Amino acid sequence: MPLLVNGARVDLSRPTGDMIRAHPHLEEKAKLLRSQPAQTVEPKGLLYVQQREFAVTTPKDGSVSILGSDDATTCHIVVLRHTGSGATCLTHCDGSDTETEVSLIMSSVKSLSNTTGCGRLEVHLVGGFNDDRQLSQKLTNQLLRAFDLQPDDVHLVTFCVTELNDREEQDIHFPIIYGIAVNVKTAEIFPATFPEKGPDEDLRSAHVLTGAPVSKNNMGGGGKRYFCQKGRPVGTNIQSLRKQNSLVAFSGFWVCCYCLMSRLSELVQGTAVGRKG
């Protein structure tokens, strides 16, 4: 079944600019989202999602009310929600295996919505900018195509990516929104920052360097909450990485120059050096 905007199938044979012109409400919604100041989300009730991880839960979850992620430059943050059950997923995509990741989040949300007789699947895409290597545009196209290939109708509601999330400063392009959060209870999506990104932020980040395939780790929550990442389940991966101190001993400059998707914008912004150095 297709990816839909206002009930009409998205024509993926055309540039994304054509889709934006055909559906101007998408640009208006992106503009509204960009205009909101980033809210600081405290750890209580938060499940923070790092790059190549995803989390899914429902409004009935007594422990988690907010899903969020940030530090996205060329990466895209995706929120998938079933309007009937309220099952909500947030993932931080970097383009490493987009089709597999989309299939996983689709199946996770659907598995928590099986008893719901009404509602639809809605997707929100945020992130990226006009980077010089066009990695953001490539990821945007991958995500649109991956959702269009799903067996279920998916309705594109928010499209704040690449050219719709770009600002220019002294001839250098930057994203406007680096992070978002979604309130699982109310479905509100808003720009966000996170002072706490644990547990084990640096060790969880290091798994991105391994390029391992996708796997899922059930973190409990009575079958209502899942926390997933590429590679081994989170706990096993962290224990393994603790034995390999060299993976987290590199300087922030080395990580920024050799491992990040958009070196210049992240180096200027300072997020990578600040986190890894």
Side-chain angles (χ1 to χ4, degrees):
M1 301 298 287
L3 179 67
L4 305 171
V5 178
N6 279 351
R9 183 170 190 172
V10 175
D11 183 359
L12 297 181
S13 67
R14 307 288 296 174
T16 55
D18 289 356
M19 180 184 72
I20 295 169
R21 285 186 287 273
H23 304 284
H25 73 280
L26 291 177
E27 186 170 7
E28 287 300 314
K29 187 163 186 178
K31 182 178 179 181
L32 180 62
L33 186 63
R34 295 194 309 264
S35 70
Q36 299 178 33
Q39 300 182 35
T40 300
V41 180
E42 299 299 333
K44 185 176 181 181
L46 167 68
L47 183 54
Y48 183 82
V49 177
Q50 293 200 9
Q51 185 174 339
R52 297 192 192 178
E53 296 179 343
F54 71 88
V56 57
T57 189
T58 72
K60 296 180 181 179
D61 192 322
S63 301
V64 172
S65 57
I66 299 287
L67 303 177
S69 187
D70 64 357
D71 291 344
T73 51
T74 58
C75 292
H76 290 14
I77 301 172
V78 179
V79 174
L80 180 67
R81 183 175 182 270
H82 191 279
T83 60
S85 67
T88 303
C89 176
L90 184 144
T91 184
H92 186 135
C93 299
D94 62 6
S96 58
D97 195 357
T98 304
E99 285 193 18
T100 299
E101 197 158 7
V102 167
S103 294
L104 278 173
I105 67 174
M106 286 284 294
S107 62
S108 295
V109 169
K110 288 164 60 180
S111 71
L112 299 181
S113 308
N114 284 340
T115 59
T116 304
C118 60
R120 67 181 195 175
L121 290 164
E122 296 184 344
V123 65
H124 309 261
L125 307 180
V126 181
F129 67 111
N130 285 331
D131 64 283
D132 54 1
R133 292 187 286 171
Q134 297 187 323
L135 297 174
S136 299
Q137 186 61 63
K138 179 180 178 181
L139 180 53
T140 296
N141 294 339
Q142 287 177 351
L143 283 165
L144 293 174
R145 193 164 302 280
F147 279 108
D148 192 59
L149 292 173
Q150 297 307 306
D152 302 272
D153 287 349
V154 181
H155 298 262
L156 179 61
V157 176
T158 303
F159 191 68
C160 186
V161 294
T162 312
E163 67 266 36
L164 294 181
N165 191 46
D166 182 81
R167 67 183 176 89
E168 188 175 352
E169 194 174 304
Q170 296 180 348
D171 297 325
I172 300 175
H173 289 265
F174 298 88
I176 297 172
I177 297 175
Y178 286 89
I180 61 169
V182 55
N183 186 314
V184 178
K185 314 293 185 185
T186 67
E188 178 190 8
I189 295 173
F190 52 91
T193 61
F194 309 89
E196 297 289 338
K197 304 178 183 183
D200 292 298
E201 175 190 356
D202 290 333
L203 292 169
R204 283 166 58 198
S205 297
H207 83 272
V208 176
L209 304 178
T210 67
V214 176
S215 70
K216 182 165 88 169
N217 183 32
N218 189 345
M219 295 289 284
K224 293 179 291 184
R225 185 167 71 257
Y226 299 89
F227 194 74
C228 317
Q229 74 172 50
K230 295 191 174 187
R232 293 175 292 277
V234 173
T236 305
N237 206 21
I238 289 173
Q239 292 170 5
S240 173
L241 287 172
R242 279 181 173 144
K243 298 177 183 178
Q244 303 176 46
N245 293 330
S246 60
L247 283 179
V248 291
F250 295 123
S251 71
F253 183 78
W254 185 92
V255 173
C256 187
C257 286
Y258 293 98
C259 302
L260 297 176
M261 290 293 187
S262 182
R263 303 168 190 172
L264 184 57
S265 65
E266 297 205 23
L267 184 58
V268 173
Q269 186 202 16
T271 55
V273 175
R275 288 183 58 202
K276 301 295 182 182

